[in-house]
Amino acid sequence: MAPMEMVEGESDVEVKDLPPISPWAKIVTAFWGPAFSLLLALACASLLFFVGKNENSYMKTTVIGFVEKDSPAAEAGLLPGDRILSINGKTVFHWSKNGKGAVRQSIIFSAGQAVRIQVEREGQKLDFDIKPVLDPDLENLRALGFEDYNAKPLIVGKFFTESTPAEKAGLKVDDQIVSANGQHLYSPAQMASIIEESDGEIELGILREGQELSLMVLPEVETKTGDKMIGVRWAKDKIVQTKWISPITQVSDSVITMGMTISALVNPQSDISPKHMSGPVGIFDLIRQLINNPRALIAFCVFFNVNLAVLNLLPLPILDGGHITFAIIEWITNRPVHVKVLYALQTSFFIILIAFMLFVSFHDVGRISKTQKKKAESEKLAEELEDMSFETAPAKTE
């Protein structure tokens, strides 16, 4: 196929002494590597179809749950409750998922100066051209200010402690809060924003066992954090649903995502760069996180093997796609690429590949370190909130 002494070690047989092999035989041989990666992905997808895949049911929406203050989306005029119909002319039908039609991925992988968003609001279709910003909390990927807030119901799961403002107001577990001061609620983040900006009691619209109720709640300041709260932890037990997705759909969605990634990487108008990719360090860290979640681990194996297949087919020396490219050149010119040229290209790209793996691993370490720090801060905050105490919120002064 090609001299690979630098990678595979010295051979007892000289390249020039090997029997000739046809270009088609080389193409078939090289193709079987990516082909078996796809077959393994299909096998994992078949297993996942058999056991079922856990999906977040609230991700099936394209309704905006909250728009961050002073964000590009807020300045453009997007509002909670807007239903996103398309992004850059392409229809979206879920919030975040492999494959096409996902709100979050469509924004991240977008290119150009602005992102065109078409929404439906009160029966009318509205178009917005929004210039994205690079979010430092998202590794400087594109953000508009709403992509982390898909619409979801606000169902009371429990109270942080006894005598919270919510409990004193008469709220009960399993109550659904549908409005605040007459404003329809689409997400916990929207509710938190209303609480923070409140100056006095808030009128809540409640749905309890099919009946609509109205309650008045007075937010109070949590003494440890200094934040205004009503002391509610939102229910999450109804989010996950088991879906049986066909193996072909699972694999094709992964192929589409890989295509979007590669397209964004080579597009100079995109903000996706090699530093956003993961190498061995990032892969092993993700496996470590998923080891106690078999369904999620199998789903990752599907995507990982599709990833290997697609990357291996790239027409670069040392990859299977490179061997196929050389074989096609040999077929067209009716003579093989010179051994010295092959060796130089193989060696050069091997060094480049190792350097690239070290580069992405460096960013993996930084990414993991930042994630661990945030996790520690979150766990510390959770411990503090287990022992909440409240005091009356001071009135706002003009």
Side-chain angles (χ1 to χ4, degrees), residues 94 97-102 105-106 252-257 260:
H94 46 234
K97 187 181 179 183
N98 273 345
K100 60 183 179 180
Q105 283 83 343
S106 296
S252 63
D253 283 348
S254 296
V255 171
I256 290 169
T257 301
M260 292 168 60

Side-chain angles (χ1 to χ4, degrees), residues 272-289:
I272 299 290
S273 70
K275 71 180 181 180
H276 295 121
M277 301 179 73
S278 281
V281 175
I283 292 167
F284 280 118
D285 182 66
L286 184 55
I287 291 173
R288 178 189 61 80
Q289 296 176 48

Side-chain angles (χ1 to χ4, degrees), residues 60-73:
K60 292 294 291 182
T61 185
T62 62
V63 176
I64 298 174
F66 177 65
V67 180
E68 293 178 358
K69 188 178 179 181
D70 300 325
S71 66

Side-chain angles (χ1 to χ4, degrees), residues 131-147:
K131 186 176 181 180
V133 295
L134 301 184
D135 187 350
D137 292 329
L138 197 62
E139 297 186 62
N140 285 325
L141 291 172
R142 291 188 163 206
L144 300 179
F146 64 80
E147 51 282 318

Side-chain angles (χ1 to χ4, degrees), residues 270-340:
S270 165
D271 293 300
I272 299 290
S273 70
K275 71 180 181 180
H276 295 121
M277 301 179 73
S278 281
V281 175
I283 292 167
F284 280 118
D285 182 66
L286 184 55
I287 291 173
R288 178 189 61 80
Q289 296 176 48
L290 299 177
I291 200 69
N292 294 320
N293 188 343
R295 286 187 172 100
L297 184 58
I298 297 170
F300 170 71
C301 288
V302 175
F303 180 73
F304 178 69
N305 282 287
V306 169
N307 194 310
L308 284 179
V310 173
L311 291 180
N312 248 331
L313 281 173
L314 294 178
L316 302 175
I318 213 171
L319 300 179
D320 291 319
H323 291 305
I324 293 173
T325 302
F326 290 138
I328 292 173
I329 293 173
E330 180 181 346
W331 176 62
I332 294 172
T333 61
N334 204 28
R335 63 178 182 179
V337 179
H338 197 279
V339 171
K340 288 185 178 180

Side-chain angles (χ1 to χ4, degrees), residues 156 158-172 175 177 191 195 198 200-204 206 208 215-223 227-234 385 388-393:
V156 177
K158 68 175 186 177
F159 304 104
F160 277 106
T161 186
E162 294 181 358
S163 300
T164 63
E167 193 173 24
K168 287 188 287 187
L171 276 168
K172 295 182 179 180
D175 281 352
I177 305 177
M191 181 68 193
I195 291 171
S198 68
E201 288 188 312
I202 300 174
E203 182 181 2
L204 299 180
I206 307 297
R208 179 184 295 168
L215 297 174
M216 301 298 294
V217 61
L218 179 64
E220 298 179 12
V221 173
E222 203 286 313
T223 55
D227 296 329
K228 279 186 182 179
M229 295 183 181
I230 61 174
V232 167
R233 189 188 293 275
W234 306 111
L385 293 180
M388 276 187 168
S389 60
F390 292 92
E391 62 184 16
T392 304

Side-chain angles (χ1 to χ4, degrees), residues 356-397:
F356 178 73
M357 289 176 66
L358 291 173
F359 172 78
V360 295
S361 293
F362 170 79
H363 286 282
D364 277 338
V365 172
R367 189 181 299 119
I368 294 168
S369 176
K370 186 181 293 185
T371 301
Q372 293 293 340
K373 183 179 179 181
K374 286 184 177 179
K375 183 180 178 181
E377 292 173 352
S378 178
E379 289 175 349
K380 182 180 179 182
L381 177 61
E383 289 178 2
E384 292 177 348
L385 293 180
E386 288 299 326
D387 186 28
M388 276 187 168
S389 60
F390 292 92
E391 62 184 16
T392 304
K396 287 184 178 179
T397 56

